Amino acid sequence: DYRGEIPFEDDSIIKLTHLNTTANLHSNPKFKSNSSKQGEVSCFGRYGQGNDDDYWILKITEEIIRNIN
């Protein structure tokens, strides 16, 4: 429980792993959704192995801070 504190800094580079499959959450900017025109997100790699599209930049917004406190 991190109520009142944020365990990461803004602009931290993180990798997200699905606990059951050990696959990495993977962004794929080359494939765009027809409805939103945003890049596809899927799972790729296993056990921390993958590529540079498995890294995410954490953006801490005012809304996140309000919801934590």
Side-chain angles (χ1 to χ4, degrees):
D1 182 8
Y2 294 107
R3 188 138 321 264
E5 63 183 77
I6 300 173
F8 299 98
E9 293 183 20
D10 192 34
D11 293 326
S12 294
I13 297 174
I14 62 173
K15 184 183 278 193
L16 302 170
T17 303
H18 188 273
L19 291 176
N20 293 335
T21 65
T22 70
N24 305 319
L25 184 64
H26 176 82
S27 66
N28 196 335
K30 296 175 190 166
F31 295 100
K32 305 284 185 196
S33 162
N34 289 333
S35 58
S36 71
K37 306 300 183 216
Q38 295 183 4
E40 176 185 78
V41 175
S42 60
C43 289
F44 180 79
R46 309 224 20 150
Y47 305 106
Q49 300 292 321
N51 66 25
D52 288 343
D53 290 332
D54 297 342
Y55 294 96
W56 298 81
I57 299 173
L58 182 67
K59 296 293 185 183
I60 299 173
T61 64
E62 290 297 322
E63 181 180 6
I64 292 171
I65 292 170
R66 278 194 309 272
N67 288 331
I68 288 176
N69 293 320

